[in-house]
Amino acid sequence: MRVCAVATVDDMKTTARLTHEKIRFDAPKELHLAVELRAPSVDWQKRRPPVCVLPVIDVSGSMQGAKLHYAKQSVMKLVDHLAPGDFFGLVTFTDEIATLAPPAEMTQPRKGALKAVVGQLEPTREVDEVVALAQLVRAQIEAETRARGGEFGEAKRVMHQLLLSLRSRGRASAAVACERVMATVANSAAYADSAAFRTSMKAGVTRGSRGSKHAEAVAVLCQAGVQLSTGAQDAMADRFEEKKPKTPHKPRTSGGLTRKRSKRW
């Protein structure tokens, strides 16, 4: 017994056949029906209208590793599939936007040039340094909230989750600071003894490590890349020095104070 059926509807060919060409009629047999659909050939390049594609790629430090690798591979694959008449451009962004290639019509030489530009993209680590420190402060605040409620396990989990993220992004210095903060919320004794350190850590990230009062916090912040002072603090200090009157110091006389009578109007 052979079972095979072929049907053609509007140039769509459908073929159905069993997994065995012959089967016995007097014995049980488990079979599968294979169905094949064959669509008519279409010259899609002639039918498809031209397109303009403008990928926007995040090249901040958070894209370190596999994220940026797969993004670049996807864009280069897209370039390969574009046809003459299509337009393509490329934009990247961190905290600023950069147009690496304005939209232009695709040619074979342009394809090679674009793929070379995409292949050379690297994450900008400076932006992620700022992001990492901001995440550290946010995680510390959440961990402190947990610790105040006696949930020291949850407090450690919050910091440990950030620690894994920082390590995967290559932020080793911020990871060291994260580990130190995590130790302060490990238990009630550590939490009670580290109030000054934790306060200085939060203040130092936003105001510069010079604004931190705790010596160990200053050392940890400097290792994490926090500057001693912010640009605004330096500008204010410069303006204060400029406006500060420069009067010669007069030695105090031994004759005591001279009292002056005020005039009445």
Side-chain angles (χ1 to χ4, degrees):
M1 176 181 177
R2 293 187 178 182
V3 178
C4 181
V6 179
T8 303
V9 179
D10 295 333
D11 295 329
M12 176 70 77
K13 184 178 180 181
T14 305
T15 303
R17 60 169 58 87
L18 294 172
T19 51
H20 292 76
E21 292 186 357
K22 298 179 180 180
I23 56 175
R24 290 175 58 91
F25 71 92
D26 58 351
K29 185 69 174 179
E30 183 176 337
L31 300 174
H32 296 280
L33 180 66
V35 179
E36 178 184 357
L37 300 177
R38 182 171 298 177
S41 60
V42 176
D43 191 350
W44 60 271
Q45 290 184 335
K46 290 184 178 180
R47 293 190 179 185
R48 181 177 68 79
V51 296
C52 179
V53 186
L54 188 67
V56 180
I57 305 178
D58 180 1
V59 291
S60 65
S62 61
M63 294 292 287
Q64 183 79 21
K67 293 181 182 179
L68 186 58
H69 170 74
Y70 288 124
K72 294 194 300 184
Q73 292 297 316
S74 299
V75 172
M76 288 192 282
K77 191 71 173 179
L78 172 63
V79 171
D80 285 334
H81 282 82
L82 294 176
D86 293 332
F87 282 73
F88 182 89
L90 182 64
V91 173
T92 61
F93 73 93
T94 53
D95 57 339
E96 297 179 349
I97 299 174
T99 302
L100 300 187
E105 188 172 354
M106 292 299 299
T107 61
Q108 196 60 39
R110 179 170 170 78
K111 281 189 176 185
L114 286 169
K115 290 173 70 175
V117 171
V118 173
Q120 294 174 359
L121 292 178
E122 294 293 339
T124 305
R125 300 177 65 87
E126 289 76 8
V127 176
D128 195 44
E129 289 179 2
V130 179
V131 173
L133 292 172
Q135 290 175 328
L136 177 61
V137 173
R138 186 165 62 247
Q140 179 181 335
I141 292 173
E142 182 179 352
E144 287 176 340
T145 302
R146 300 286 189 180
R148 279 195 299 269
E151 301 177 20
F152 297 104
E154 275 298 305
K156 286 183 64 178
R157 184 194 63 78
V158 170
M159 299 306 302
H160 187 259
Q161 188 174 2
L162 175 61
L163 177 63
L164 296 178
S165 174
L166 294 174
R167 286 175 174 172
S168 67
R169 287 149 49 192
R171 311 306 318 150
S173 298
V176 172
C178 183
E179 282 186 292
R180 181 63 186 89
V181 174
M182 183 169 63
T184 66
V185 295
N187 51 61
S188 59
Y191 182 73
D193 293 340
S194 60
F197 171 81
R198 288 182 284 104
T199 301
S200 293
M201 285 291 293
K202 290 183 291 188
V205 170
T206 55
R207 303 174 194 168
S209 58
R210 183 176 293 170
S212 179
K213 305 298 184 182
H214 195 277
E216 184 183 1
V218 171
V220 172
L221 290 168
C222 287
Q223 185 179 4
V226 178
Q227 298 179 351
L228 287 177
S229 58
T230 64
Q233 289 173 331
D234 292 338
M236 185 179 296
D238 292 340
R239 292 191 63 184
F240 179 78
E241 290 296 331
E242 290 175 0
K243 293 183 178 181
K244 188 176 180 181
K246 298 181 179 180
T247 56
H249 177 69
K250 295 182 179 180
R252 300 179 65 179
T253 60
S254 58
L257 297 175
T258 303
R259 302 180 66 180
K260 295 183 179 180
R261 180 180 296 179
S262 61
K263 295 181 180 179
R264 293 185 178 181
W265 295 92

